[in-house]
Amino acid sequence: MSTTGTATRRIELTLHRPWFALYARVRPTLVIAGRGQPVQWGLGTWQVPADQTVVVGVFLFNRMWRFGQAEFALEPGHPPALLYRAPALPFVRGRITVTDHTRAA
């Protein structure tokens, strides 16, 4: 039973860390529509509203400061796959880009 305004869709977010970074044991935090949650590196899926623009953000936290922040406004027409690339240095911003395909199941 779906009503207007409650339609959702699944998005994929791949969280990629560089093979060499000047920080260790740091995990990302994902923020969707202002609500944060700790996540693991790699591929994950999340449910978002299908008919609204949703701001997706990621940052890293090392007990002293936040770094690697990146945000992307995901609109209903965008492909459902995003890629976050963490920086190699702990004072640089990260990047979120849209990918045009999803992994085959």
Side-chain angles (χ1 to χ4, degrees):
M1 297 186 329
S2 69
T3 59
T4 305
T6 60
T8 60
R9 69 177 178 149
R10 304 271 298 142
I11 61 167
E12 285 186 354
L13 176 61
T14 303
L15 299 156
H16 175 72
R17 67 176 165 203
W19 65 271
F20 175 78
L22 292 180
Y23 52 88
R25 295 185 297 273
V26 173
R27 292 194 178 148
T29 299
L30 174 67
V31 181
I32 296 179
R35 184 172 277 169
Q37 56 187 312
V39 293
Q40 300 287 327
W41 294 107
L43 178 67
T45 61
W46 285 269
Q47 194 169 0
V48 297
D51 57 351
Q52 299 175 12
T53 299
V54 177
V55 177
V56 176
V58 179
F59 68 87
L60 308 174
F61 183 73
N62 72 351
R63 295 188 185 202
M64 295 177 66
W65 68 85
R66 286 169 51 153
F67 65 97
Q69 290 178 275
E71 285 189 348
F72 186 82
L74 185 67
E75 297 187 12
H78 282 133
L82 299 174
L83 172 67
Y84 169 78
R85 291 195 175 272
L89 302 171
F91 49 82
V92 180
R93 294 184 64 82
R95 291 179 294 152
I96 295 179
T97 56
V98 174
T99 58
D100 58 355
H101 66 281
T102 58
R103 287 190 160 178

